[in-house]
Amino acid sequence: MDDGGTLYSIGELARQTGLTVKTIRFYSDHGIVTPADRTPAGYRRYGTEALARLAFVRTLRELGLGLDAIRQILDRELALDEVAAQHAAALDAQIAVLRLRRAVLTAVARRRPTPEETHRMHELARLSETERRRLIDDFLDAVFEAPGSEAIRRSMTPELPDRPTEEQLQAWVELAELTLDPHFRAGLRRTAEAHRSDAAATLPRPDVAALARTHAEPALAAGIAPESPEADPVVTALSAHCARTLDRPDDSTLRHHLLKRLETAHDPRRDRYFELLAVINAWPAPDPLSPALAWSTTALRVRTAR
C-alpha cells in the first residue's frame, strides 16, 4: 500500500490512464507494474505510484521504445538519456528511409514512369555517397574528356547533404537520370569540344553562349521578335562581339559558325540540370540560358539564310 493509502482496481487504473484493462494486466504480468495488494477474492489492487509508472510507460511506448528497454529503465538498469539518444539515432535512420521513399513515390505519381523507370529511380535514390560520386564523375568524365576543366566540373557537381530534404532527394533522382541520358551527355560533350576549339587560338576563353545571353536578354525584355528588323542591330552587335573575342573576321562565315555553336549549346535540359543542381546544393536558382539561346539561334538562322 502506498503512503496515501489509496488503492485502485485495474478498471480504475484503465479509466485514469487511458490504457485498456488488457494492457495493464499484460504490463502487470510482465513486471512493468506490480500490485500493491490483493482483495480476499484475489483481485489486484494498485497504489498511486502505479499511475505515475503507467503514465511514464505509456509515454515511452508512444515514443517507440520496446518493453525490455522500458523495464530496464524503470529498474534503473539503463539510463533514460542513453536509451533516448540511441532511439533518436534509430529514428533518424528510419526518417531518412521514409523521406527517400516519399521522394520516389512523389516523383512516380507526378511522372507516371514505366516499371523499369520506377525501379531505376528507386535505385538512384538509394545510392550511397560513394556511389553518387562515382556516377557524377563518370558523367563529367564523359563530357569533359580533356584536362583543364576542374573549375567547371566543380560547378556542375551535386553535393547531397547528409540529411536532404524531400525536394533535394527528388532533385537528385531527376538530375541523376539526366546524367545517364546518352543524348544529354553527347550534347554537352559537343558544346565543351566546340568551346575548347574556339579557345585554342585566343585567351581569355570565349563563351559564345554567354555573349548571346548578353545581347539577347535585353532584346527579349524589350519584346523584340528575333525575325523582326528591330533585331538587326542586336545580331550585328553580337556578331561583332564574337569576332573580337574569337579574333576572327566579322563575316558570313563567322555568323554560320556562331549559329552552329549556339544550336549545339541550346538544350533546355542543360537549364534543368542547373536548376536541379541549385536545389541539391542549396544555391540560388540560376537564370535560364535557353530563352536567350532560342532567340539568338532564330535571329541568326533568319539572317544567315538570306
Side-chain angles (χ1 to χ4, degrees):
M1 184 176 295
D2 69 319
D3 293 340
T6 303
L7 293 176
Y8 303 93
S9 68
I10 286 184
E12 290 168 334
L13 278 183
R15 284 191 293 275
Q16 295 207 37
T17 62
L19 298 170
T20 65
V21 169
K22 182 178 180 181
T23 297
I24 296 174
R25 186 175 290 117
F26 176 83
Y27 287 164
S28 183
D29 291 342
H30 287 77
I32 302 295
V33 290
T34 55
D37 200 1
R38 287 182 180 268
T39 67
Y43 293 109
R44 306 172 196 185
R45 292 290 184 266
Y46 297 87
T48 53
E49 77 280 357
L51 282 173
R53 196 172 175 96
L54 285 171
F56 186 47
V57 170
R58 180 176 181 175
T59 297
L60 295 181
R61 287 294 286 158
E62 289 177 350
L63 289 172
L65 271 66
L67 283 180
D68 288 341
I70 291 173
R71 185 186 300 106
Q72 289 177 294
I73 291 170
L74 292 172
D75 294 341
R76 291 183 169 78
E77 296 174 10
L78 289 175
L80 175 59
D81 58 344
E82 294 178 1
V83 175
Q86 294 172 1
H87 197 65
L91 285 176
D92 281 342
Q94 294 176 34
I95 289 169
V97 171
L98 290 174
R99 188 181 290 121
L100 182 151
R101 291 175 180 170
R102 180 178 174 83
V104 174
L105 288 171
T106 300
V108 169
R110 184 177 64 248
R111 296 168 53 185
R112 297 182 181 179
T114 65
E116 293 77 12
E117 290 170 337
T118 301
H119 175 72
R120 184 175 69 247
M121 291 164 62
H122 184 224
E123 292 301 308
L124 290 172
R126 294 175 56 196
L127 293 179
S128 67
E129 181 180 357
T130 300
E131 291 168 330
R132 292 196 301 268
R133 174 69 67 174
R134 187 180 302 121
L135 184 149
I136 295 300
D137 284 345
D138 178 69
F139 163 66
L140 295 176
D141 287 344
V143 173
F144 303 104
E145 297 177 344
S149 56
E150 289 77 12
I152 185 65
R153 287 176 66 108
R154 286 194 298 271
S155 72
M156 293 181 65
T157 298
E159 299 286 353
L160 196 65
D162 292 336
R163 295 185 179 183
T165 64
E166 183 179 327
E167 185 183 19
Q168 286 173 314
L169 278 171
Q170 290 179 21
W172 160 253
V173 171
E174 187 177 345
L175 181 142
E177 287 188 295
L178 267 178
T179 67
L180 294 173
D181 185 333
H183 299 294
F184 180 60
R185 287 189 176 203
L188 286 183
R189 184 169 60 250
R190 287 193 298 270
T191 299
E193 290 171 348
H195 181 71
R196 285 197 305 271
S197 176
D198 280 344
T202 183
L203 289 175
R205 293 185 174 187
D207 186 342
V208 170
L211 295 180
R213 166 182 271 170
T214 298
H215 292 275
E217 286 188 340
L220 280 166
I224 297 174
E227 306 89 347
S228 68
E230 289 79 6
D232 287 343
V234 180
V235 176
T236 298
L238 171 60
S239 181
H241 198 165
C242 289
R244 293 193 302 272
T245 304
L246 298 174
D247 194 22
R248 294 177 56 166
D250 185 1
D251 53 17
S252 62
T253 301
L254 174 70
R255 291 196 177 190
H256 279 92
H257 171 76
L258 180 56
L259 175 59
K260 183 177 180 182
R261 280 290 316 275
L262 295 180
E263 287 175 337
T264 300
H266 183 210
D267 184 349
R269 290 173 299 181
R270 175 197 176 280
D271 280 347
R272 185 57 180 162
Y273 181 95
F274 283 101
E275 289 172 7
L276 297 168
L277 183 68
V279 172
I280 295 168
N281 290 356
W283 292 345
D287 293 326
L289 180 61
S290 185
L293 293 184
W295 191 97
S296 300
T297 53
T298 300
L300 280 165
R301 192 178 298 117
V302 168
R303 286 156 181 83
T304 55
R306 290 173 181 171

